[in-house]
């Protein structure tokens, strides 16, 4: 047991040894909280606690997987501990007992897109115009109410006199009714319905209280009202609750996180032990001094200060650029120069306050052939072609899922238009049956006319898929659906790069199914759990640490990650902090912006660059923003301040709408040399089996002759002459070029 504690510092040891009662671990950025949690779990097991009685809750699947692996490496029995996200835990509970609140355990989980489609459908039926009330605003309001555990009935009782909220209340009631008739839950329901299940079934709650006698919650500062309530219910019997968090990193208030959950922990759990983990193992002293100097300006926080035994480190580079293009050029060229010094592309992260700032950065990275990956775009499982096939699978699993059925009833096109779908939907509602059951009676639906055969044929196709799903593996079932529907054939007919990219995505989806089934334990539940897993995956869960690419992401997405070199861009008043926070009457809004900066600073291990621009193109016009007011909170002795010398000679300004918004007309010529390509280093991990003059084969274009090979960051750009297609430039590794 002593060996288990050998590599822990004194405060970490105290955290591991404090196993009973309520414990709050205030864990600063980079303080080794995952190590503490995993060692604490191992210590509990060595002490005699059954792994079956331990629950660890994280916020991402990636974090859960990492924690499970680390616990198992320390203690073999650790693989029996349930390490789960909030939503995965609730799905597990609901699959077992949701029948007690009126659903079947083969329920479908709707993502944000599915939920919005259903809201749009209801609004159309209610004849509510999008200009009066946007579907997105409705779903956001419903989500907020569910997080506060407010039902549709209660919400309707509290909106007297507010016309807009009365409309939302009507939609909320209809939405809940439709979800139930579809045997479906949205993402917020996973926690909301679990709490309802516990509240109305004390025997179920007692079972899980007995099951989870020791509970640990990571990132506690990010918990919402519903998550807090769930944890409180589960730990109420044995009261062995250990939460780990950092109030200085609470940055998700806009999506329901309540910082008071961590600030009031000692009030909620009387006699709680508070242990501070303040030693940072990640960053240099300069970076930590800057982070501490910024965050101490917040009032709503617990007193603590990060320190480290790491070296002093480089000063923080503050780059004042003349334009957003100059800013992007500076960042891209800084990366190239550091690559020559021995860094890898994966060592760099470019962080920004809003996704809109990524465009010009991406353009410059592409221009200089710097490989990168953008996070926060369309999730793999959110891409159209993937969602289409998932919808087919959902119908096989839950035939009551009308939203999934409507998505694919005419995909690929089979002549079933909106009018026919409306006729079938009306028939289903009139007869109180699902849409799929209505399609089985196509000949009885008035108004279908010559579309009756197409509808009947589609129903027969779904019946065939349902039958095949009983005997085929998931991967084979997906292949069968793609073949029988003609989905792949339709994409091939398009004959575009985008279509071939979609085919590649579908092939990757099949590979995911193969990989999943290789690791599945219960074959009978394979399709159910497969759909469950992909519905709960987050974009950041797909982040491959082995990818040698520059990372682009929002500051919010970066929490929990670390990089040797970090760029924080757009450090300007109105962007960071945002205009909304600056004008908000609530001081907590500006404090959350400051916490977001604290998170950004503490992502950096060795070097930090902060950049801004005097002129930036926003919303179609050039804007001049002052440097961020947060800048003065970083001590000047920690900064290396640079200002571009090639300043604009003169501008003529046309004032539009406000004094802070103008469209400058430059009277100088841009410095083209500043954007000239630099020498690109050869890729480290790409080996070619051909050279200039060889014949190579491309999967689509056939055989061609290699005219030129140029380094292009993480790949080679190959110029090839094809006999019938002329000269094309392709990426060697990406295009899977092989010597013919």
């Amino acid at each position: 047991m002593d060996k288990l504690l050998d590599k822990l510092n004194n405060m970490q040891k105290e955290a591991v040894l404090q196993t009973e009662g309520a414990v709050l671990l205030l864990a600063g950025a980079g303080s080794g909280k995952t190590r503490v949690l995993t060692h604490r779990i191992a210590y509990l097991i060595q002490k005699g606690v059954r792994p079956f009685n331990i629950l660890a809750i994280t916020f991402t699947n990636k974090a859960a997987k990492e924690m499970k692996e680390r616990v198992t490496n320390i203690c073999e029995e650790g693989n029996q501990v349930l390490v789960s996200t909030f939503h995965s835990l609730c799905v597990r509970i609901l699959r077992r007992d949701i029948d007690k609140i009126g659903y079947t355990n083969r329920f479908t989980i709707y993502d944000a897109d599915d939920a919005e489609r259903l809201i749009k459908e209801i609004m159309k039926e209610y004849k509510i115009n999008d200009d009066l009330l946007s579907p997105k605003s409705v779903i956001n309001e419903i989500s907020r109410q569910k997080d506060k555990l407010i039902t549709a009935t209660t919400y309707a009782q509290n909106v007297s006199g507010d016309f807009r909220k009365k409309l939302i209340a009507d939609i909320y009631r209809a939405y809940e009714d439709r979800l139930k008739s579809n045997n479906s839950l949205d993402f917020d329901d996973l926690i909301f319905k679990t709490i309802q299940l516990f509240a109305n079934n004390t025997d179920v709650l007692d079972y899980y209280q007995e099951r989870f006698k020791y509970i640990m919650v990571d990132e506690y500062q990010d918990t919402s009202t519903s998550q807090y309530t769930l944890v409180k219910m589960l730990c109420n019997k044995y009261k062995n609750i250990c939460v780990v968090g950092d109030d200085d990193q609470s940055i998700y208030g806009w999506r329901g996180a309540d910082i008071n959950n961590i600030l009031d922990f000692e009030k909620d759990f009387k006699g709680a032990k508070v242990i501070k983990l303040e030693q940072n193992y990640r960053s240099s002293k300069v970076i930590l001094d800057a982070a501490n100097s910024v965050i101490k300006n917040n009032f709503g926080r617990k007193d603590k200060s990060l320190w480290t035994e790491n070296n002093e480190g480089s000063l923080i580079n503050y780059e004042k650029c003349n334009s957003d293009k100059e800013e992007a050029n500076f960042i891209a060229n800084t990366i190239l120069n550091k690559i020559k010094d021995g860094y890898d592309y994966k060592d760099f992260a470019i962080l920004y306050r809003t996704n809109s700032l990524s465009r010009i950065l991406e353009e410059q990275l592409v221009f200089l052939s710097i490989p990168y990956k953008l996070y926060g775009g369309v999730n793999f499982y959110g891409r159209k072609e993937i969602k289409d096939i998932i919808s087919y699978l959902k119908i096989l699993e839950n035939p009551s899922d009308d939203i999934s059925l409507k998505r694919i009833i005419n995909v690929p096109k089979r002549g079933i238009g909106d009018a026919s779908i409306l006729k079938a939907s009306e028939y289903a509602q009139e007869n109180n049956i699902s849409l799929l059951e209505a399609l089985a009676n196509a000949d009885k639906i008035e108004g279908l006319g010559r579309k009756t055969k197409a509808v009947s044929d589609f129903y027969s196709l779904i019946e065939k898929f349902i039958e095949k799903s009983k005997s085929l593996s998931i991967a084979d079932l997906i292949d069968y659906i793609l073949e029988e529907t003609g989905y792949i054939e339709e994409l091939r007919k398009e004959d575009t790069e985008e279509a071939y990219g979609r085919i590649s995505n579908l092939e990757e989806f099949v590979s995911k199914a193969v990989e999943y089934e290789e690791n599945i334990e219960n074959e009978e539940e394979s399709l159910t759990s497969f759909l469950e897993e992909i519905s709960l995956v987050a974009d950041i869960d797909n982040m491959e640490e082995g990818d040698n690419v520059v990372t682009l992401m929002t500051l919010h997405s970066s929490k929990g990650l670390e990089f040797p070199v970090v760029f924080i861009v757009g450090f300007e008043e109105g962007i960071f902090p945002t205009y909304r926070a600056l004008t908000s009457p609530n001081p907590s809004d500006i404090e959350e912006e400051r916490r977001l900066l604290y998170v950004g600073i503490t992502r950096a291990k060795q070097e930090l660059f902060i950049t801004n621009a005097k002129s930036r193109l926003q919303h179609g016009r050039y804007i001049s923003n002052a440097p961020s007011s947060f800048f003065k909170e970083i001590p000047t002795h920690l900064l290396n301040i640079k200002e571009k010398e090639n300043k604009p000679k003169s501008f003529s300004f046309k004032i539009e709408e406000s004094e802070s918004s103008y469209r400058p007309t430059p009277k100088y010529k841009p410095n083209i040399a500043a954007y000239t390509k630099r020498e690109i280093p050869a890729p480290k991990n790409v080996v070619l089996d051909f050279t200039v003059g060889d014949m190579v084969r491309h999967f689509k274009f056939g055989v061609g002759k290699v005219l030129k090979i140029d380094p292009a960051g993480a790949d080679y750009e190959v110029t090839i002459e094809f006999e019938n297609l002329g000269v094309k430039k392709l990426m060697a590794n990406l295009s899977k070029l092989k010597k013919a």
Side-chain angles (χ1 to χ4, degrees), residues 144-157:
R144 282 192 289 270
Q145 300 312 312
K146 287 188 177 183
D147 182 62
K148 293 188 230 174
L149 305 177
I150 296 173
T151 64
T153 302
T154 304
Y155 182 73
Q157 292 168 351

Side-chain angles (χ1 to χ4, degrees), residues 169-273:
D170 291 339
I171 297 169
Y172 188 4
R173 273 191 297 240
Y175 176 69
E176 288 299 280
D177 290 343
R178 198 69 60 83
L179 279 173
K180 193 159 189 178
S181 66
N182 289 358
N183 194 38
S184 300
L185 305 178
D186 65 21
F187 216 61
D188 297 298
D189 279 330
L190 297 178
I191 298 177
F192 192 16
K193 297 298 181 188
T194 302
I195 291 171
Q196 285 184 343
L197 173 67
F198 285 166
N200 296 318
N201 298 271
T202 54
D203 57 325
V204 177
L205 176 59
D206 184 65
Y207 169 82
Y208 285 103
Q209 287 177 336
E210 284 295 327
R211 163 85 194 268
F212 302 125
K213 294 178 179 178
Y214 290 85
I215 299 173
M216 278 162 272
V217 184
D218 194 11
E219 303 287 4
Y220 191 68
Q221 77 281 347
D222 293 332
T223 53
S224 64
T225 300
S226 60
Q227 290 164 339
Y228 162 82
T229 303
L230 180 71
V231 169
K232 198 88 186 281
M233 292 176 90
L234 284 171
C235 74
N236 201 38
K237 188 169 188 176
Y238 289 98
K239 298 184 172 27
N240 293 321
I241 174 73
C242 172
V243 303
V244 185
D246 181 5
D247 51 303
D248 290 335
Q249 295 186 72
S250 179
I251 58 173
Y252 294 115
W254 50 278
R255 71 179 190 197
D258 187 351
I259 193 173
N260 291 308
N261 290 345
I262 192 167
L263 294 179
D264 295 340
F265 185 81
E266 296 101 308
K267 295 178 187 174
D268 294 334
F269 299 91
K270 301 298 182 186
K273 173 81 172 175

Side-chain angles (χ1 to χ4, degrees), residues 500-516:
Y500 284 105
R502 289 183 172 181
I503 292 173
S504 295
N505 288 338
L506 289 166
E507 290 170 349
E508 178 62 26
F509 188 47
V510 174
S511 299
K512 162 66 182 174
V514 171
E515 179 187 326
Y516 176 80

Side-chain angles (χ1 to χ4, degrees), residues 251 353 555-556 576 592-600:
I251 58 173
R353 181 61 183 83
L555 285 141
H556 283 98
F576 191 17
E592 181 154 323
E593 290 289 299
R594 189 176 283 111
R595 291 195 294 269
L596 190 56
L597 175 57
Y598 175 83
V599 166

